[in-house]
Amino acid sequence: MSETEEVVRARGVKKSFKNRVALSGLDLSVRQGQLYGLVGPNGAGKTTLIRILCGLLRPDAGEAVVLGWRVPNFRIRSQIGYMPQEVALYPDLTVMQNLAFFAELYDLPREQLKERAEELLALVELSDRRGQRVGTLSGGMQRRASLAASLLHKPRLLFLDEPSVGVDPRLRRSLWEHFLKLAAQDVALVVTTHLMEEAARCHVVGFLNQGRLFAEGSPEQLLRKTGVASLEEAFTRLEEESKVRT
Amino acid sequence: MKTWTVAKHVLFRIGQDPRTLILIVLTPLLFVLLYGYSFSSGRPTHLKVAVVNEDSGLASVRTAELGRITLTLSLGAKLVQSLDRELFDVVLHDKPDKIQEEVKAGKYWAGLVLPKSFSHALANEALRERGPQKTTYQGRSVELLPPETAEGALATLYLDDSNPVVTSWVALSLNEALTRLVAEQQATPTLKDPLDVHALYGGQVSALDYTAPGVIGFAMTLITIMLTVISIVRERASGTLTRTLVAPVRPWEVSLGYTLAFALVSLLQLGELFLVSHLLFHIRFAGSPLLVLLIVFVYAIGLQGIATLLSTIARNEFQAMQFILVLLIPSIMISGVFWPIDAMPTNIRLLAWCSPLTYANSALREVMLRGRGISGVALELGVLAGFALLMLLLGVRSMRRQGYSA
Ligand SMILES: Nc1ncnc2c1ncn2[C@@H]1O[C@H](COP(=O)(O)OP(=O)(O)O)[C@@H](O)[C@H]1O
Ligand SMILES: [Mg+2]
């Protein structure tokens, strides 16, 4: 694992909104082919971190290097994929029209679009909904369409912000299998979740709360370290320990 | 170039959305119909008027007793004195051959030339209308007789009749002053058209023609700004703007794409506005349609910049509407669309010159009513282009910030 390329490296990243601290000096390293799970409760700072790594927000302090470039940087954009926490599709356009627009932004040739879109719609099980307006899809379907839009251009690095919220358990399992398959193809994935069962499937898990990454490791390592049965307990235990330390 | 991709996409979405489409098509129509059918006027003030007074003041009049005598009446000076100072800003002028040009150039609303023989002609015209009059001359009672031949026009008035409201007030008030003057000369004739009026635009400009360019600019301003602001605020709220700004697209390409799309929508609306106002109300269109398109296009680009800025400040659609109401409506009201800027108090007039619609309105009027060419509206176009450039830069900057802080 150590020879693989480091695709994300964050050092001492801080970010506040007015007086509210969202990230307080955070370090992070993600490698090629890794499925990295950012785990933490609401308001932990997961979305803020991802936005910084995508170049949508500037950190107040510290630096983040993504695919070899200090962000924000235009050069990484064609190689990263971002699925925002919100649906981020045009509700008045059909699934296919949405995909076509974002494909064009990524310079995907028209001939390839058709094939690629079909492939992704099959993956998210929306093939029969390609002509339906996104606004009229169910919540879970909208999120699946959103995921498809983020995968169009075959990014090397994927940021998925709570990709499985509202997705039913069966499809959720198949999506996570797909994430692992992508990782096997050397794609790096940073996935946020607050579900421990999902965290358990990641290669590396980072526990995040109140803007601090207080523990990191494979699920097995984290369980072994704390000697508890579930990641949930591990999260609580490790957070308490880190509070005692500081 | 992703600008076109974004522009195409914005236009496509408008085409997909029946409600927005209706708004775009119907609102200009509503504006034209409303203003076409309900136009009102009021009394203007401080209209700049040039007067050339060459009157010698002398009148040669036939009498029954003494043959021809010469009276010193100074009717020209008296007329100038009696002009309504609230209505007119009178400028005394000494080059009668320049006056027509200067009125045409928009320097004055009207130019009144009182010839050397003004007193003479007016006195004799009064006698001709009224018949013989008794008066005293050098201590003797004499009877003044009408002239044997008609005297013709008393004075020449060059009138900028591109604004019918102003035109009618100028003509009315001058005629009144003349009539009053004659009445004071003890004779009270009813003079028929004492002025030889030269309507420089053929006397064909109606009140509706005068407001039409402004109303068109007004409609465009409101609709495009509202559309753009709502559209960007929505994109930001739904996250699609975020998705776009993460893609390999520059913020300026996104901003320019929006600008292009809505500028094209503006042109479409413009076409509609002209067609309807021309077909239904026979609005005057003297100048080049291409020039009008150019003016509107440059103006629309500036509007897009404002809209992008507003959309960054506004957190939601409701706030955006508030900004539009507070900022936009007043700037439209003072831009000379409904009321000549010349007729505004000085401080408001200064504000008016800060509103871009003032320049768009003025340029459109010059072209549509007076048939001016591009050199005739160079100043307005220059200001509009500068404004567009500035707003475009600010708009792009704010779009970039939206990317970093959405
Ligand atoms: N644009 C913003 N303005 C103000 N506060 C924000 C903004 N974005 C995030 N925050 C705050 O930063 C903290 C972290 O938020 P976020 O990164 O969205 O958490 P998570 O995604 O883990 O739920 C929260 O307290 C949130 O209220
Ligand atoms: Mg979040």
Side-chain angles (χ1 to χ4, degrees), chain B residues 114-344:
Chain B
L114 306 177
K116 228 169 141 160
S117 59
F118 178 72
S119 290
H120 172 74
L122 186 65
N124 280 292
E125 195 64 24
L127 285 168
R128 206 168 63 83
E129 291 272 344
R130 194 64 222 273
Q133 299 284 311
K134 288 205 184 315
T135 185
T136 48
Y137 178 68
Q138 295 178 348
R140 291 183 54 179
S141 170
V142 294
E143 189 177 28
L144 304 176
L145 300 175
E148 275 137 347
T149 53
E151 292 292 338
L154 297 174
T156 310
L157 179 68
Y158 296 101
L159 196 52
D160 179 346
D161 62 337
S162 63
N163 181 344
V165 181
V166 171
T167 310
S168 57
W169 278 102
V170 171
L172 198 74
S173 178
L174 282 179
N175 268 320
E176 246 173 31
L178 273 171
T179 313
R180 216 175 324 119
L181 186 63
V182 174
E184 277 164 15
Q185 303 310 302
Q186 294 157 336
T188 51
T190 46
L191 285 173
K192 275 195 215 104
D193 296 324
L195 280 173
D196 174 19
V197 176
H198 290 237
L200 296 181
Y201 299 103
Q204 290 166 354
V205 179
S206 72
L208 192 59
D209 291 335
Y210 180 70
T211 38
V215 169
I216 288 168
F218 173 56
M220 239 189 66
T221 309
L222 259 185
I223 301 167
T224 53
I225 291 203
M226 286 209 291
L227 269 180
T228 313
V229 171
I230 290 178
S231 179
I232 295 181
V233 168
R234 246 187 224 167
E235 282 229 36
R236 198 182 52 204
S238 72
T240 47
L241 188 62
T242 308
R243 206 192 271 279
T244 304
L245 291 169
V246 168
V249 191
R250 304 268 181 191
W252 66 260
E253 288 176 314
V254 177
S255 198
L256 222 59
Y258 257 91
T259 304
L260 188 64
F262 282 108
L264 288 175
V265 169
S266 298
L267 289 188
L268 193 92
Q269 292 184 313
L270 182 80
E272 181 198 351
L273 283 163
F274 279 135
L275 205 68
V276 173
S277 51
H278 191 73
L279 290 180
L280 279 176
F281 304 110
H282 313 288
I283 293 295
R284 187 181 165 87
F285 200 128
S288 146
L290 273 179
L291 187 53
V292 167
L293 281 187
L294 180 69
I295 294 167
V296 169
F297 196 71
V298 173
Y299 178 54
I301 288 174
L303 289 185
Q304 289 308 305
I306 296 187
T308 316
L309 279 180
L310 279 180
S311 67
T312 8
I313 308 168
R315 274 177 218 282
N316 51 46
E317 286 159 84
F318 180 66
Q319 269 188 11
M321 281 306 116
Q322 286 179 322
F323 282 129
I324 287 172
L325 282 177
V326 171
L327 275 172
L328 217 59
I329 305 280
S331 82
I332 288 169
M333 297 309 278
I334 60 167
S335 62
V337 171
F338 305 106
W339 196 242
I341 290 176
D342 288 342
M344 292 175 185

Side-chain angles (χ1 to χ4, degrees), chain A residues 17 20 22 41-48:
Chain A
F17 298 98
R20 174 167 285 128
N42 289 327
K46 307 183 292 291
T47 300
T48 305

Side-chain angles (χ1 to χ4, degrees), chain A residues 15-18 20-23 40-49 51 57 85 161-162 192 208 211, chain B residues 405-406:
Chain A
K15 182 74 193 176
S16 303
F17 298 98
K18 303 243 168 69
R20 174 167 285 128
V21 178
L23 297 175
N42 289 327
K46 307 183 292 291
T47 300
T48 305
L49 177 59
R51 282 175 169 264
L57 280 175
Q85 200 174 336
D161 203 351
E162 310 206 5
T192 74
L208 191 67
Chain B
S405 66

Side-chain angles (χ1 to χ4, degrees), chain A residues 1-36:
Chain A
M1 212 74 174
S2 59
E3 282 105 74
T4 53
E5 189 193 343
E6 193 178 33
V7 289
V8 175
R9 196 185 71 231
R11 293 277 172 272
V13 169
K14 287 185 182 166
K15 182 74 193 176
S16 303
F17 298 98
K18 303 243 168 69
N19 297 325
R20 174 167 285 128
V21 178
L23 297 175
S24 50
L26 187 140
D27 297 344
L28 180 75
S29 165
V30 180
R31 297 189 165 271
Q32 194 183 355
Q34 220 170 39
L35 175 53
Y36 190 105

Side-chain angles (χ1 to χ4, degrees), chain A residues 51 55-58 72 74 77 82 84 86-90 93 97 101-102 104-107 133 146 149-150, chain B residues 2 5-6 8-9 12-13 16-17 235 238-240 242-251 403-406:
Chain A
R51 282 175 169 264
L56 285 165
L57 280 175
R58 274 178 199 280
F74 189 77
R77 292 210 194 156
Y82 173 42
E86 57 272 26
V87 172
L89 293 175
Y90 298 97
L93 298 187
Q97 285 166 341
F101 171 62
F102 289 110
E104 204 173 334
L105 286 186
Y106 283 96
D107 290 314
R133 284 177 189 230
S146 168
S150 310
Chain B
K2 303 286 169 57
T5 306
V6 174
K8 213 173 52 181
H9 173 69
F12 180 71
R13 276 178 52 224
Q16 289 276 307
D17 179 11
E235 282 229 36
S238 72
T240 47
T242 308
R243 206 192 271 279
T244 304
L245 291 169
V246 168
V249 191
R250 304 268 181 191
Y404 291 144
S405 66

